[in-house]
């Protein structure tokens, strides 16, 4: 436009009508050409996605299903489709929206699962799967994943992994980048294939690398033995679907060997299925409420032990900072019923309950739906349960030995002392 104005100003005065006509025609032609050029530039820039952000006038605060939010999602999709440097999978983007919706709650225990992730996650509740045979735990704040227990005769044991190892990477994926139930879907896989793990082990100068072959793993969630002529020991590593049956079988077996007093070890037990925990408490406790939950509306649901059975013997329950969720329900009920002694260190402090709901397309949502309370009404989320006898763990046995010496475990020894008083 500046050049046109200069041309206009340089025209001689006293021009003829013919000259003025040609001048006006040229001016209009130039304007049309300029508008066409600007339109082409606009379309090119729009296609590349450089002005679309500026054209969006939304505040970013619309309700979830508002037109504003839908428009912004369409805008973001256009930007990705136009500018992302690689081809994208539309279904992965859609899954990302679903995952992100649940992540927006800020609750590490509320998660969206694709159909494949849900199927893999459900495998773990049966105790049978193609994996490595390691019990994992995750800190919900740092997302750090720790191996709490290596089962005997499993690929993890054969590969040289140890209790206490911290998983840094799984097949080049950072372990802290996802929730534990999602991470384990990458650890499990087809029988005979391998998973690559990068491990931090205390005392080692560098990370350790392991290629662990996946195999059929039948995980026992309950292990038991007699420690003395009268004292039986039962370790419960998690509360899965088959744990109550294993627990009852262990009690019956130890009673046949003369058990009159019992140690229940819930150390490093990160929890599991609430109903499994209730069934196990029902075996031990007299009639009463063993735990209750309340949702955001204040609606209460009680979980009971009935009057049909009751285990009449002295009991010690071992707990530590990794005893969480269902483990704390169990320990809290034993404490509130005054049915045993808690020994160890303060528990984790997870006092919320999740529900898993499968959707019609095979995907699923795990969501925190309620708070739980011990029988006496204690809400222990973020607080934990203090043991009756505070005792930090010490092991005086041979740490290189494959056999664990329970008489070198100071917390087990203390439990025996209490039971023999």
């Amino acid at each position: 436009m500046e050049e046109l104005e200069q041309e206009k100003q340089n025209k001689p005065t006293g021009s003829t009508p013919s000259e003025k006509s040609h001048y006006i025609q040229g001016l209009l032609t130039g304007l049309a050409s300029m508008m066409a050029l600007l339109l082409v530039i606009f379309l090119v820039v729009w296609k590349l996605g450089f002005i679309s952000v500026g054209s969006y006038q939304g505040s970013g605060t619309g309700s979830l299903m508002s037109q504003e939010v839908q428009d912004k999602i369409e805008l973001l999709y256009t930007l990705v489709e136009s500018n992302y440097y690689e081809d994208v999978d539309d279904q992965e983007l859609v899954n990302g929206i679903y995952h992100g919706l649940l992540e927006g709650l800020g609750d590490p225990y509320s998660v969206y699962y694709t159909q494949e992730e849900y199927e893999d996650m459900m495998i773990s509740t049966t105790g049978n799967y193609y994996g490595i045979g390691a019990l994992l735990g995750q800190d919900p704040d740092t997302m750090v994943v720790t191996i709490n227990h290596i089962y005997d005769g499993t690929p993890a044991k054969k590969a040289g992994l140890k209790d206490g190892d911290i998983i840094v990477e799984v097949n080049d994926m950072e372990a802290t980048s996802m929730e534990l139930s999602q991470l384990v879907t990458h650890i499990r896989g087809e029988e005979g294939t391998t998973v690559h793990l990068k491990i931090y082990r205390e005392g080692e100068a560098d990370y350790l690398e392991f290629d662990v072959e996946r195999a059929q793993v039948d995980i026992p969630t309950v292990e038991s033995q007699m420690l003395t002529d009268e004292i039986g020991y039962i370790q419960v590593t998690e509360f899965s679907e088959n744990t109550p049956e294993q627990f009852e079988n262990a009690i019956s077996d130890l009673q046949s060997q003369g058990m009159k007093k019992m140690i229940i070890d819930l150390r490093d037990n990160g929890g599991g299925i609430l109903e499994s925990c209730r069934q196990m408490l029902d075996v031990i406790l007299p009639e009463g409420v063993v735990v209750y939950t309340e949702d955001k509306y204040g609606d209460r649901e009680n979980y009971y032990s009935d009057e049909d059975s009751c285990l009449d013997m002295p009991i010690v329950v071992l707990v530590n900072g990794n005893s969480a969720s269902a483990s704390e329900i169990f320990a809290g009920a034993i404490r509130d019923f005054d049915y045993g002694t808690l020994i160890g260190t303060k528990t984790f402090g997870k006092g919320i309950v999740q529900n898993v709901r499968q959707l019609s397309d095979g995907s699923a949502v795990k969501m925190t739906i309620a708070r739980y309370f011990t029988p006496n009404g204690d809400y222990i989320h973020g607080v934990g349960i203090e043991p009756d006898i505070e005792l930090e763990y010490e092991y005086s046995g041979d740490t290189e030995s494959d056999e664990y010496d329970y008489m070198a475990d100071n917390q087990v020894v203390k439990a025996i002392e209490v039971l023999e008083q």
Side-chain angles (χ1 to χ4, degrees):
M1 289 297 294
E2 288 181 358
E3 292 179 354
L4 290 173
E5 284 295 322
Q6 288 171 357
E7 285 187 25
K8 182 178 180 180
Q9 292 169 2
N10 291 334
K11 293 296 292 184
T13 59
S15 301
T16 67
S18 177
E19 289 175 327
K20 290 180 179 180
S21 176
H22 284 98
Y23 170 72
I24 293 173
Q25 183 176 3
L27 177 61
L28 293 175
T29 301
L31 285 172
S33 299
M34 180 61 72
M35 292 301 295
L37 177 60
L38 289 174
L39 179 60
V40 171
I41 293 173
F42 178 86
L43 292 174
V44 170
V45 172
W46 173 268
K47 181 61 177 176
L48 292 177
F50 294 123
I51 68 170
S52 56
V53 173
S55 69
Y56 176 73
Q57 300 299 318
S59 64
T61 59
S63 63
L64 185 62
M65 302 305 294
S66 69
Q67 187 62 48
E68 181 181 348
V69 171
Q70 295 180 45
D71 289 345
K72 188 166 185 177
I73 291 174
E74 288 290 342
L75 168 62
L76 293 174
Y77 175 70
T78 300
L79 286 171
V80 169
E81 189 178 39
S82 301
N83 298 315
Y84 189 67
Y85 78 110
E86 290 183 344
D87 292 336
V88 296
D89 184 330
D90 283 358
Q91 186 57 52
E92 287 301 312
L93 293 180
V94 171
N95 289 337
I97 293 174
Y98 300 151
H99 282 295
L101 180 63
L102 273 295
E103 289 174 6
L105 295 172
D107 174 14
Y109 305 109
S110 295
V111 184
Y112 169 80
Y113 299 102
T114 64
Q115 180 177 356
E116 181 180 10
E117 290 168 343
Y118 173 69
E119 291 172 351
D120 287 339
M121 187 269 291
M122 289 303 293
I123 290 174
S124 65
T125 66
T126 66
N128 304 309
Y129 57 89
Y130 294 129
I132 65 173
L135 178 65
L136 308 181
Q138 185 176 49
D139 187 303
D141 297 322
T142 65
M143 303 297 281
V144 169
V145 177
T146 303
I147 297 178
N148 290 333
H149 185 67
I150 300 293
Y151 295 96
D152 290 335
T154 61
K157 187 79 168 182
K158 295 174 183 176
L161 292 168
K162 295 184 177 182
D163 294 0
D165 283 348
I166 293 176
I167 299 179
V168 179
E169 291 183 0
V170 176
N171 290 335
D172 297 325
M173 292 176 291
E174 290 187 11
T176 57
S177 67
M178 63 190 77
E179 196 260 346
L180 183 59
S181 60
Q182 293 175 297
L183 183 68
V184 297
T185 65
H186 298 285
I187 296 176
R188 293 196 290 261
E190 294 184 11
E191 186 175 20
T193 60
T194 60
V195 57
H196 183 77
L197 302 178
K198 180 185 285 188
I199 297 294
Y200 167 77
R201 181 175 294 169
E202 187 175 359
E204 297 289 343
D206 298 313
Y207 291 124
L208 305 178
E209 309 270 345
F210 295 88
D211 289 305
V212 188
E213 183 175 339
R214 301 178 176 104
Q216 175 72 38
V217 178
D218 299 321
I219 296 298
T221 58
V222 176
E223 297 180 0
S224 63
Q225 62 177 305
M226 293 294 293
L227 297 181
T228 71
D229 290 341
E230 293 188 342
I231 298 176
Y233 169 88
I234 299 178
Q235 181 185 43
V236 182
T237 55
E238 62 180 303
F239 294 87
S240 64
E241 285 184 357
N242 54 15
T243 305
E245 181 181 0
Q246 294 180 26
F247 185 67
E248 289 190 60
N249 291 340
I251 291 175
S252 297
D253 179 58
L254 294 178
Q255 285 180 317
S256 71
Q257 299 180 54
M259 179 179 71
K260 294 182 174 58
K261 305 170 183 179
M262 180 169 59
I263 299 171
I264 302 174
D265 191 349
L266 299 181
R267 293 174 299 180
D268 298 321
N269 183 325
I273 302 173
L274 173 59
E275 176 57 21
S276 294
C277 178
R278 187 207 65 78
Q279 291 177 29
M280 294 163 66
L281 287 169
D282 187 27
V283 173
I284 299 172
L285 298 177
E287 183 180 10
V289 175
V290 297
V291 66
Y292 67 89
T293 64
E294 288 185 358
D295 63 19
K296 68 178 180 180
Y297 305 106
D299 294 333
R300 171 170 169 164
E301 182 173 1
N302 295 321
Y303 294 82
Y304 294 95
S305 170
D306 59 36
E307 60 182 353
D308 292 340
S309 63
C310 178
L311 199 62
D312 186 16
M313 66 173 63
I315 296 173
V316 166
V317 178
L318 301 180
V319 294
N320 65 7
N322 291 324
S323 303
S325 190
S327 291
E328 294 173 292
I329 291 174
F330 192 101
I334 295 293
R335 181 199 65 183
D336 288 1
F337 272 72
D338 194 21
Y339 224 73
T341 303
L342 307 185
I343 296 178
T345 54
K346 186 171 72 172
T347 63
F348 183 83
K350 181 176 181 287
I352 49 181
V353 180
Q354 285 72 46
N355 169 268
V356 179
R357 176 176 296 181
Q358 187 175 21
L359 307 181
S360 60
D361 63 354
S363 63
V365 173
K366 180 176 75 172
M367 189 179 302
T368 301
I369 59 169
R371 298 175 175 88
Y372 78 73
F373 298 82
T374 69
N376 287 349
D378 289 340
Y379 176 54
I380 57 89
H381 191 66
V383 178
I385 295 175
E386 296 282 355
D388 299 305
I389 300 176
E390 181 83 19
L391 182 63
E392 291 287 342
Y393 170 77
E394 291 182 6
Y395 184 70
S396 58
D398 182 5
T399 57
E400 299 300 321
S401 173
D402 290 336
E403 294 296 324
Y404 189 82
D405 183 2
Y406 289 98
M407 301 311 294
D409 181 328
N410 69 322
Q411 292 174 333
V412 172
V413 171
K414 184 64 176 179
I416 294 173
E417 291 177 3
V418 170
L419 291 173
E420 289 182 338
Q421 290 177 353

